[in-house]
Amino acid sequence: MKKKVLSMFLVMAMAGTLLVGCGGGSDESSADGSGESGSSEEKTTVKIGIRADMVDQLESVRDEIEALGYTVEESVFDDSVQPDVALAEGSLDMNWYQHEPYMQSYNAENGTDLVMIEPKTFYPLFAMYSDKWESVDEIPDGATIGLCNDATNQARGLNMLESQGLITLDDSVESPTMYDIAENPHDFQFIEAEMSVLPQSLKDADAICLAAGHMVNAGLPADNYLCQSDDNETYAVGFVVRSEDKDAEWAKEIAEAVQCDDLAEYFKTDKAGTQIPCWE
């Protein structure tokens, strides 16, 4: 009799453990944003990663996002790499600071599967600046040219130089670096720096090539450039998510909500027209 009672208790305990295990799995699925928890009806907090220079931009559209019923929790980073690291690791729901070629380059180098969602937000003006020369034709032989140190924006700067007839690139290379310059008739010397700090090289270099917004961030004028890139639409900035969230309704709602008058006014005033809204 005692053996029968003991057996019954063991069976009941095992059943209870299995039920608890099933319940715990369901809770964990909701907590990590998988399955139905990613729907707009159930998602209440959205963790968005931004660079430090985009804090005010996010604030300008916070009301539009939170009007959808989401609470925004921002994470601010000092460089252009860590927001993608954090997103890929799962500590963010999305980030908002990069263009698609940069994202694709990051994916290729790190084996990640980040996706930019539609609609995109703005086109960043990319240009060449100098405080020594007033036109491209004035740049002397042997001049020092500052380039971004990330692969995508360095390629963009080099393509701009080629479009101005200053250099010739190896046309077999899809994303050229300064080591892929086939012809350098003016014997330019090239230096590299992170794009956010490149404006500090302006006093030492003859010219620098970068996104115009970083000139504004450095307190420098952005409208007196020597030339600008002709590929702005290719480099439109938008929200980036992990591949499993590329069709999430909450992500699309946020991308659409920021296309608003408040953000357009922010681009016009705070960014001095260096960021062009995609919807205008």
Side-chain angles (χ1 to χ4, degrees):
M1 181 65 180
K2 288 182 180 180
K3 289 183 179 180
K4 289 183 179 180
V5 172
L6 181 59
S7 297
M8 289 175 63
F9 277 122
L10 287 173
V11 171
M12 291 173 65
M14 291 175 63
T17 300
L18 289 172
L19 287 172
V20 170
C22 292
S26 175
D27 290 344
E28 183 178 353
S29 175
S30 297
D32 67 11
S34 61
E36 292 302 316
S37 65
S39 68
S40 60
E41 291 79 14
E42 295 185 20
K43 195 171 191 67
T44 58
T45 299
V46 179
K47 299 177 181 178
I48 303 177
I50 53 173
R51 263 196 330 244
D53 61 303
M54 299 183 75
V55 171
D56 291 341
Q57 178 175 307
L58 180 58
E59 284 305 311
S60 74
V61 295
R62 181 183 291 273
D63 289 346
E64 279 77 10
I65 297 175
E66 295 194 342
L68 299 171
Y70 306 117
T71 298
V72 174
E73 289 186 1
E74 72 271 20
S75 294
V76 181
F77 301 87
D78 292 327
D79 63 26
S80 298
V81 177
Q82 293 307 310
D84 276 345
V85 173
L87 178 61
E89 290 177 347
S91 58
L92 298 175
D93 295 310
M94 55 176 22
N95 63 42
W96 190 35
Y97 73 101
Q98 64 189 314
H99 50 60
E100 194 161 13
Y102 180 88
M103 179 202 72
Q104 291 172 343
S105 176
Y106 182 87
N107 280 338
E109 292 175 3
N110 296 278
T112 50
D113 191 17
L114 306 181
V115 178
M116 182 167 290
I117 58 176
E118 297 286 348
K120 297 175 184 177
T121 311
F122 66 90
Y123 310 125
L125 174 65
F126 194 97
M128 179 192 290
Y129 294 91
S130 174
D131 62 2
K132 299 176 178 63
W133 315 107
E134 295 183 357
S135 71
V136 172
D137 294 337
E138 291 183 7
I139 300 176
D141 290 352
T144 300
I145 309 294
L147 299 171
C148 302
N149 66 353
D150 68 274
T152 303
N153 287 299
Q154 182 166 135
R156 194 176 186 192
L158 290 168
N159 285 326
M160 181 172 62
L161 293 175
E162 184 177 50
S163 72
Q164 294 294 317
L166 298 175
I167 61 172
T168 301
L169 297 169
D170 182 347
D171 58 11
S172 68
V173 180
E174 183 176 350
S175 184
T177 70
M178 60 185 184
Y179 303 107
D180 298 308
I181 298 174
E183 297 179 13
N184 183 11
H186 300 286
D187 195 29
F188 291 149
Q189 306 300 307
F190 296 95
I191 60 172
E192 301 174 287
E194 209 280 329
M195 186 156 53
S196 63
V197 301
L198 191 56
Q200 299 174 19
S201 301
L202 195 60
K203 62 183 181 296
D204 300 317
D206 289 277
I208 59 175
C209 304
L210 76 167
H214 290 284
M215 294 291 287
V216 175
N217 295 338
L220 299 170
D223 58 354
N224 61 345
Y225 46 84
L226 304 185
C227 63
Q228 67 167 300
S229 174
D230 57 5
D231 58 0
N232 288 329
E233 292 193 12
T234 301
Y235 292 89
V237 172
F239 287 94
V240 173
V241 298
R242 292 181 296 280
S243 59
E244 63 262 31
D245 290 326
K246 64 184 177 65
D247 297 318
E249 188 65 23
W250 57 266
K252 182 179 180 180
E253 285 181 347
I254 290 173
E256 292 175 345
V258 303
Q259 294 195 339
C260 61
D261 291 342
D262 286 343
L263 187 56
E265 182 63 22
Y266 171 79
F267 289 155
K268 180 179 179 181
T269 56
D270 292 58
K271 290 301 182 181
T274 61
Q275 295 178 183
I276 306 163
C278 290
W279 66 96
E280 292 188 347

